[in-house]
């Protein structure tokens, strides 16, 4: 074994010496500077900022995935790699002085931390977007080679770092799958008119959704992608719901479709209008939060535009909350979900099918989530601060406020009295990361994803501990079930509820149920 190791070391040193002895035209003024710029990951933080600013929604996700992969690789190198194999740095005798770094590293040589970070960031970006990964890869390779060129690492150190970095990116993807890795199935297919050039589409653009555009005006981008569509830019002095109602009515008269460019709040209002007027909906992702569009696989304006022109569409579920009680549900499609221990913990089971009716009459639809408890207060505080300090700091401030000041609420859920921190209801089943609902795999499953955080001593602390240890399913303070209908009552005056980012006063009694496959949405569909 030692003979093989000695031979590998000899090859490693021989390659290192060849790189040191060879002239590399143009590399001297570039590679040492590039190597220094990657210290402490600063180069990759800069690239991530560029992706986030200029790469749209996919660029922001790619930047986050790249930085998350970099963090995992750095942690592994510094806590395991450097301490396990204590290899000395190469001697700089044969390396031209012009290549030397101003400050020589003092840690052990194996593996190369710079190479691991570079490979992790580039691989993480590529796992979210192949195009962006292709743009980042040359810089990553150059940083890795610069560590040999400047004489601070042997080639074997660099290769090990590259392998470790790619492994870290794959591990992160295993924990948090990429969008492409969890694509929503294109079913059930639905009939929708093909609108060449967007002919017959009336698209309402809400400029108040999300950050202001940095480069391309959204209205110009819409008109470029669909030149025959009518684009209505919502004025903040007008009521968005009324604008969408008028657009949906005119789209129905033309035999066309309603479009909306905005975040989940705008999409919620558009879905209700499209449902009432019986027209397909075209969703153009453009807000601060675009969960519905992302779960449909709609990343860009061009994605939706292609589907509109081809007439590719799917039918998706809507959920609905209604004050008081609804008539007993009529038999619907699909077998009821089985009653589980989690269903018993939420105080209910399942009904015999989907609710009757084809519209949202008597209720308010939501496309993503509904909640009662601490989350509505978090949304309210976050929105109050977001315009002053930005979305991310406002979210942190809101979370601190909720943890310090909020108290559990008393409710009656499916006839059972209980004290809860949170009742969460998702439109279709969500995949869970930690204890947070992250992404839906099927928007037409006919189910409500009901999750409850129960009150009690140290409930929040116990919940976080259970999530971190992977024991969430066995925690007494947390329960989850897939239902078709849930009744919530006994709400005190002043209680608030949130749905799709909107916060409103809650009625004393309400019912949450499903409208299965009730909305037709344009979405690119792979053809066989």
């Amino acid at each position: 074994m030692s003979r093989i190791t000695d031979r590998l070391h000899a090859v490693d040193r021989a390659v290192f010496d060849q790189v040191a002895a060879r002239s590399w035209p143009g590399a001297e003024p570039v590679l040492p500077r590039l190597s220094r710029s990657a210290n402490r990951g600063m180069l990759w933080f800069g690239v991530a900022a560029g992706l986030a600013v200029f790469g749209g929604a996919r660029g922001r996700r790619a930047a986050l995935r790249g930085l998350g992969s970099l963090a995992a690789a750095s942690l592994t190198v510094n806590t395991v790699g450097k301490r396990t194999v204590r290899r000395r740095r190469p001697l700089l005798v044969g390396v031209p002085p012009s290549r030397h770094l101003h400050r020589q590293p003092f840690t052990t040589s194996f593996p190369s931390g710079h190479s691991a970070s570079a490979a992790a960031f580039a691989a993480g970006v590529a796992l979210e977007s192949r195009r962006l990964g292709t743009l980042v890869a040359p810089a990553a390779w150059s940083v890795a080679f610069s560590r040999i060129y400047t004489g601070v690492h042997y080639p074997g150190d660099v290769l090990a770092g590259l392998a470790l970095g790619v492994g870290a990116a794959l591990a992160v993807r295993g924990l948090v799958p990429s969008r492409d890795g969890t694509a929503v199935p294109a079913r059930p297919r639905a009939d929708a008119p093909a609108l060449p050039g967007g002919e017959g589409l009336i698209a309402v653009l809400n400029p108040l959704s999300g950050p202001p555009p940095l480069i391309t005006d959204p209205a110009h981008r819409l008109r470029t992608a669909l030149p025959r569509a009518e684009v209505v830019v919502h004025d903040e002095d007008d009521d968005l719901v009324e604008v969408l109602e008028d657009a949906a009515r005119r789209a129905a008269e033309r035999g066309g479709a309603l479009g909306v460019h905005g975040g989940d709040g705008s999409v919620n209002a558009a879905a209700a209008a499209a449902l009432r007027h019986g027209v397909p909906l075209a969703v153009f992702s453009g807000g601060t939060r675009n969960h519905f569009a992302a779960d449909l696989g709609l990343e860009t304006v061009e994605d939706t535009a292609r589907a509109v022109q081809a007439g590719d569409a799917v039918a998706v579920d809507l959920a609905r909350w209604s004050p008081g009680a609804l008539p007993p549900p009529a038999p619907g499609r699909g077998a009821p979900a089985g009653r589980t221990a989690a269903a018993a913990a939420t105080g209910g089971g399942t009904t015999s099918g989907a609710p009757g009716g084809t519209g949202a009459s008597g209720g308010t639809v939501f496309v993503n989530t509904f909640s009662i408890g601490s989350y509505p207060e978090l949304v309210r505080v976050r929105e109050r601060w977001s315009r002053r300090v930005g979305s991310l700091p406002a979210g942190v401030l809101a979370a601190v406020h909720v943890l310090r000041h909020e108290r559990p609420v008393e409710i009656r859920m499916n006839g059972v009295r209980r004290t809860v921190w949170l009742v969460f209801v998702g439109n279709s089943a969500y995949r869970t990361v930690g204890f947070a609902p992250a992404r839906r795999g099927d928007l037409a499953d006919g189910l409500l994803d009901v999750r409850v955080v129960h009150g009690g001593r140290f409930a929040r602390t116990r919940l976080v501990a259970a999530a971190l240890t992977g024991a969430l399913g066995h925690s007494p303070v947390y329960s989850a079930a897939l239902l078709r209908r849930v009744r919530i009552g006994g709400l005190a005056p002043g209680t608030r509820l949130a749905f799709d980012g909107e916060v409103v006063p809650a009625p004393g009694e309400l019912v949450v149920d499903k409208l299965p496959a009730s909305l037709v949405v344009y979405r690119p569909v792979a053809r066989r």
Side-chain angles (χ1 to χ4, degrees):
M1 186 68 182
S2 60
R3 182 176 299 178
I4 296 176
T5 303
D6 291 342
R7 184 171 297 178
L8 289 175
H9 284 323
V11 171
D12 213 10
R13 285 191 293 270
V15 174
F16 176 85
D17 291 340
Q18 289 181 13
V19 172
R22 183 176 175 181
S23 174
W24 302 85
E28 185 174 311
V30 176
L31 291 184
R33 289 185 176 89
L34 184 65
S35 191
R36 288 195 299 270
S37 72
N39 290 346
R40 297 182 178 86
M42 297 306 297
L43 171 65
W44 309 121
F45 282 108
V47 174
L51 293 176
V53 172
F54 300 108
R58 180 166 288 235
R60 289 190 290 274
R61 288 200 310 276
L64 287 173
R65 184 172 295 280
L67 292 178
S69 302
L70 183 153
S74 296
L75 181 65
T76 305
V77 168
N78 293 319
T79 59
V80 180
K82 297 286 189 182
R83 298 181 182 182
T84 303
V85 182
R86 296 185 175 275
R87 189 182 194 185
R88 292 185 177 183
R89 297 274 177 175
L91 297 176
L92 297 178
V93 176
V95 179
S98 59
R99 302 184 191 178
H100 294 183
L101 299 177
H102 296 316
R103 293 183 179 179
Q104 293 297 317
F106 58 86
T107 58
T108 55
S109 186
F110 185 93
S112 167
H114 281 63
S115 302
S117 296
F121 183 84
V125 169
L127 289 172
E128 195 67 53
S129 169
R130 291 184 181 179
R131 180 178 64 85
L132 295 177
T134 301
L135 295 176
V136 173
W141 280 111
S142 297
V143 167
F145 179 71
S146 75
R147 305 307 285 175
I148 307 172
Y149 179 84
T150 57
V152 295
H153 279 293
Y154 290 108
D157 305 334
V158 169
L159 292 176
L162 292 173
L164 191 152
V166 172
L170 293 174
V172 169
R173 186 182 67 170
L175 294 173
V176 186
S178 63
R179 296 286 185 185
D180 293 339
T182 55
V184 176
R187 69 135 200 102
R189 292 284 295 272
D191 293 328
L195 307 176
E199 181 72 38
L201 175 72
I202 302 179
V204 177
L205 187 151
N206 184 6
L208 301 179
S209 293
L214 295 172
I215 302 178
T216 306
D217 175 57
H220 174 74
R221 192 173 179 183
L222 272 173
R223 293 186 178 108
T224 300
L226 297 168
R228 298 182 186 177
E230 178 183 345
V231 179
V232 178
V233 180
H234 166 57
D235 190 297
E236 61 180 328
D237 294 329
D238 297 329
D239 184 86
L240 179 62
V241 173
E242 293 180 359
V243 173
L244 287 165
E245 282 289 326
D246 178 68
R249 176 184 56 77
R250 293 191 290 120
E253 292 171 354
R254 300 179 186 180
L258 173 66
V260 60
H261 183 287
D264 287 328
S266 302
V267 173
N268 174 288
L275 187 66
R276 280 189 287 270
H277 292 275
V279 294
L281 180 65
V283 178
F284 300 93
S285 178
T288 305
R289 294 170 180 83
N290 303 283
H291 299 297
F292 186 70
D295 286 346
L296 283 168
L298 301 172
E299 303 288 346
T300 65
V301 166
E302 290 72 23
D303 288 340
T304 307
R306 286 195 300 272
V308 168
Q309 297 190 87
D312 288 340
V314 295
V316 301
D317 295 350
L318 292 176
R320 169 180 63 175
W321 68 268
S322 308
L326 290 173
R333 66 177 180 84
R339 181 179 173 89
T340 65
T346 59
T350 59
T351 67
S352 59
T358 58
S361 176
T364 302
V365 300
F366 60 94
V367 297
N368 294 317
T369 63
F370 166 99
S371 61
I372 290 175
S374 57
Y375 184 73
E377 179 64 11
L378 186 147
V379 172
R380 187 184 70 82
V381 175
R382 183 188 67 201
E383 294 303 317
R384 187 178 69 189
W385 282 94
S386 61
R387 293 187 180 275
R388 303 181 191 178
V389 300
S391 180
L392 181 58
V396 175
L397 290 173
V400 171
H401 171 85
V402 166
L403 289 173
R404 290 184 60 187
H405 300 291
E406 284 302 292
R407 295 293 180 267
V409 298
E410 298 285 339
I411 68 168
R412 187 174 59 252
M413 190 169 183
N414 286 343
V416 179
R417 174 67 64 177
R418 58 186 70 253
T419 301
V420 301
W421 280 102
L422 172 69
V423 175
F424 166 94
V425 183
N427 175 32
S428 300
Y430 277 78
R431 184 179 58 82
T432 300
V433 175
F435 60 85
R439 182 116 194 259
R440 288 166 288 187
D442 186 352
L443 285 169
D445 61 8
L447 301 172
L448 296 171
D449 188 334
V450 183
R451 307 182 185 209
V452 179
V453 178
H454 301 279
R457 295 189 63 186
F458 308 111
R460 287 170 293 185
T461 303
R462 294 165 68 187
L463 176 70
V464 173
L468 293 176
T469 58
L472 187 62
H474 303 288
S475 174
V477 300
Y478 175 87
S479 57
L482 297 176
L483 311 176
R484 300 192 190 279
R485 178 185 179 96
V486 61
R487 294 175 179 271
I488 300 173
L491 298 174
T495 303
R496 293 177 176 270
L497 64 82
F499 64 97
D500 290 344
E502 305 295 323
V503 181
V504 299
E509 305 278 336
L510 60 89
V511 173
V512 185
D513 63 351
K514 291 281 286 191
L515 300 171
S518 55
L519 181 68
V520 175
V521 183
Y522 285 103
R523 174 186 184 267
V525 177
R527 300 186 182 279
R528 295 182 179 179

